[in-house]
Amino acid sequence: MKMITCTERQHAVAILDIFNEAILTSTALYDYKPRHIDSMTAWFATKLTHNFPVIGLQDEQGALLGFASYGTFRAWPAYKYSVEHSIYIHKDHRGKGLGKILLNALVDAARERGVHTLIGAIDAANSGSIALHEKNGFSHAGTIKQAAFKFDRWLDLAFYQMILETPLKPVAG
């Protein structure tokens, strides 16, 4: 297994497959319909423009096992040191510790880029993701009850955060 930086050219289709499987079968994403391949161009462009990492794990044959990234938490300037992260593992590779590897890599990338707060928005019924975050230093920051409706039921959205020591010299503006 090898950690990589994902690119649109090499990984858009594999990332889209992981996204779409999660959309259709889980509450990991609060989308209803699968995304189209065209959406990946804008997704990767946003990551590149804002220096947001897209970290992947590949097997020996080059297949993408999972990926992690973060993006804008809220679009106002004062939130510039806070990011919302996500981790997705291919359905055939869940439960093998890959989430922990990717989460640790995201935390390292956040420190390198001067992020202060990592925020995970997790479906409150996703006990696996919640346990991963709690075991790796994230704290529960609150839950929005009935924040979404999918699969004919209301979904609660739990927020988990990790506060980092970075940036060393934050500035306003």
Side-chain angles (χ1 to χ4, degrees), residues 73-152:
F73 172 64
R74 298 193 75 187
W76 292 275
Y79 290 100
K80 67 183 173 186
Y81 296 116
S82 296
V83 295
E84 183 177 342
H85 70 277
S86 54
I87 300 167
Y88 296 96
I89 307 297
H90 186 280
K91 66 182 176 66
D92 296 337
H93 300 284
R94 294 179 188 141
K96 299 177 182 177
L98 304 181
K100 179 178 178 151
I101 295 167
L102 288 167
L103 182 58
N104 288 335
L106 268 186
V107 170
D108 290 344
R111 279 192 176 102
E112 290 169 10
R113 289 166 172 84
V115 168
H116 186 64
T117 304
L118 280 159
I119 301 160
I122 306 168
D123 184 78
N126 188 341
S127 57
S129 185
I130 289 170
L132 169 69
H133 283 79
E134 289 177 342
K135 287 178 189 172
N136 288 282
F138 283 74
S139 302
H140 183 251
T143 299
I144 300 174
K145 301 285 186 185
Q146 299 183 11
F149 188 80
K150 185 176 178 181
F151 300 136
D152 296 323

Side-chain angles (χ1 to χ4, degrees), residues 12-95:
V13 171
I15 288 173
L16 184 66
D17 288 345
I18 293 170
F19 271 146
N20 285 341
E21 188 275 334
I23 289 167
L24 293 172
T25 65
S26 78
T27 55
L29 279 160
Y30 287 0
D31 284 347
Y32 293 123
K33 295 180 181 179
R35 298 175 182 178
H36 190 272
I37 191 64
D38 294 342
S39 69
M40 297 309 295
T41 297
W43 189 82
F44 271 101
T46 298
K47 302 296 181 184
L48 188 62
T49 298
H50 298 287
N51 194 29
F52 296 149
V54 182
I55 302 165
L57 288 174
Q58 270 184 333
D59 67 12
E60 297 76 29
Q61 291 75 40
L64 190 66
L65 307 175
F67 70 96
S69 187
Y70 59 69
T72 303
F73 172 64
R74 298 193 75 187
W76 292 275
Y79 290 100
K80 67 183 173 186
Y81 296 116
S82 296
V83 295
E84 183 177 342
H85 70 277
S86 54
I87 300 167
Y88 296 96
I89 307 297
H90 186 280
K91 66 182 176 66
D92 296 337
H93 300 284
R94 294 179 188 141

